[in-house]
Amino acid sequence: MTFTPHGKHLIAGIWVGGETRFTSEPAHGPAHNFSAGSPEHIDQAVNAAEDAFWSFGYSSRKDRAAFLNAIADEIEARGEAITEIGTQETGLPVARLQGERGRTTGQLRLFASHILSGDYLDRRHDEAMPERAPLPRSDLKMIQRPIGPVAVFGASNFPLAFSTAGGDTAAALAAGCPVIVKGHSAHPGTGEIVAEAVHAAIVTCDMHPGVFSFVQGGSLEVGQALVQHPLIKAVGFTGSLGGGRALFDLCARRPEPIPFFGELGSINPMFILEGAGKARGADIGTGWAGSLTMGAGQFCTNPGTVVILKDQAELFTTAAAKALEQIDTQTMLTDGIASAFRKGQSRIAASEGVQAVLTTTCDGRGATPYLYQTTAAQWLANDDLGEEVFGPFGLVVLADDLEQMHSVAHALQGQLTCTLQMEASDEEAAKSLMPILERKAGRILANGLPTGVEVSEAMVHGGPYPASTNFGATSVGTMSIRRFTRPVCYQDIPPGLLPDCFQI
């Protein structure tokens, strides 16, 4: 099945064009022409979402679950076509797109199951105590309610799982919030075909057409118009620190400030403790190299920095460099990402006290791995060394002792993940690091690799800034629905006026 994009926006059930257009820049295959979004498109979509909220926000959990499952069905029905255009636009391999499609439909179905159970509602009831002295107590009931229309920005590095019908969209729709997606210009055809799937599910389930709109990427003012629209109540974003911070500031400066749930950047440090370094240094190096280069290093959980005792570094770095040498040139998602990767690599390479372990040459959209090392003292003295280089880039930090590892941990910015490589003999050292790492990251791993984020009940994909802009939230897992609900208390409200979801 071959899909040829028509290049239009989906706004309240209607495919519409516009005067301004852009051409896609695929890694291979044909380029296509698309209508570029405008503030007018945004206004139409948001107003339709607000109108839809008066029915969708008060719909039953059963109906919303059926809708989410229908979206998953429609995506699966277009599976081959999605993979074809997705690989063309991004350069990602077929197996990666197939796996990501399964993740996307899987999280839609997980949210359908999750809302049917009702646990996310956090229902609470304090029964009336009219005879209590000195003051009686009213009957109090509390429940989580949807907040209203939500804006979602498609991610460049996950054309399916973090884009049109990805985790942010699934969580918002599950909560009862209509969604306006601003598609990413790196994969507009992929975004369009997934939007078609959502639209088909809307028709099948007889939902208000304003429950979902898709506007193709346009100028910066399109994104600004979306986050500043007075009817938007929250924003989900996965992308660069610079772009995310600019949108975050716009949300904060609105007459009515709204939450901006941005996942922005992380170096995901790995600490190799003494016993692990002695027992498994080479094996850890080989495994780490595979994680570092997975998807051309374009995962937000890419473990870009390793902290290891200097007298144990040779086993690790030798094995890592040997494994990295075997990695062929990989295609990056966009020319812009590839250019930023090369600039980041050059910036770190030129820093004082940084030594090359493995250098390569890459150009265009091709990426090859780089490996450097420096001392903990140099790393602590230069904030640039703690900045993310998005791509297959690794930095090994050599620590004199455990105390210096502590110093590096204390100096970290907020992270999505921190990893401990440890043996049983390292437990006391690991225990001493845990309080620091808990304050730095949303997920802490032992003897694992952070690439690969399970979509589940207990997952946290977030962390202190700049890993994310809201440390109390996650963008992966069922807890992410909390971003798009708020608690409402009902005092002495008659049963007939209460939301239906108070019933188990």
Side-chain angles (χ1 to χ4, degrees), residues 179-435:
V179 173
I180 300 91
V181 172
K182 182 182 181 296
H184 200 288
S185 58
H187 40 76
T190 310
E192 181 185 302
I193 191 172
V194 175
E196 284 191 353
V198 180
H199 177 55
I202 289 173
V203 173
T204 298
C205 297
D206 195 25
M207 291 288 177
H208 188 297
V211 77
F212 173 86
S213 290
F214 175 79
V215 179
Q216 290 285 10
S219 63
L220 291 177
E221 68 175 351
V222 178
Q224 294 169 356
L226 183 54
V227 303
Q228 290 183 305
H229 198 290
L231 296 177
I232 290 293
K233 298 303 179 184
V235 178
F237 175 90
T238 299
S240 69
L241 175 59
R245 181 54 196 255
L247 293 174
F248 172 83
D249 290 344
L250 287 176
C251 289
R253 290 200 299 264
R254 287 173 35 137
E256 178 202 356
I258 58 172
F260 179 86
F261 298 103
E263 190 262 279
L264 306 182
S266 184
I267 60 173
N268 303 294
M270 177 183 293
F271 292 81
I272 302 177
L273 302 182
E274 183 176 10
K278 288 179 179 178
R280 299 183 284 113
D283 290 340
I284 296 171
T286 300
W288 174 78
S291 181
L292 183 74
T293 56
M294 186 182 295
Q298 298 169 115
F299 286 173
C300 43
T301 51
N302 178 32
T305 297
V306 169
V307 186
I308 188 170
L309 296 174
K310 65 181 181 182
D311 58 358
Q312 296 179 348
E314 185 174 356
L315 275 177
F316 171 85
T317 55
T318 299
K322 183 177 180 180
L324 292 172
E325 287 174 346
Q326 309 306 311
I327 303 297
D328 293 331
T329 301
Q330 297 172 282
T331 302
M332 301 199 83
L333 292 158
T334 68
D335 290 331
I337 290 174
S339 177
F341 170 63
R342 291 191 294 271
K343 289 179 181 177
Q345 175 268 323
S346 297
R347 172 176 55 83
I348 300 296
S351 298
E352 183 178 352
V354 173
Q355 298 176 328
V357 177
L358 173 68
T359 60
T360 54
T361 302
C362 59
D363 54 24
R365 277 173 74 166
T368 49
Y370 291 83
L371 180 60
Y372 293 87
Q373 70 178 25
T374 190
T375 65
Q378 290 286 353
W379 189 92
L380 290 165
N382 185 352
D383 291 342
D384 281 350
L385 300 182
E387 298 293 331
E388 180 185 28
V389 177
F390 193 62
F393 179 91
L395 179 65
V396 180
V397 179
L398 309 178
D400 292 337
D401 49 31
L402 179 61
E403 183 178 355
Q404 202 167 45
M405 281 189 168
H406 279 223
S407 297
V408 171
H410 276 295
L412 288 168
Q413 293 183 308
Q415 304 294 327
L416 293 170
T417 72
C418 287
T419 300
L420 290 167
Q421 293 291 344
M422 57 178 289
E423 296 291 296
S425 60
D426 295 316
E427 185 167 330
E428 287 303 313
K431 187 180 294 186
S432 71
L433 277 166
M434 282 295 291

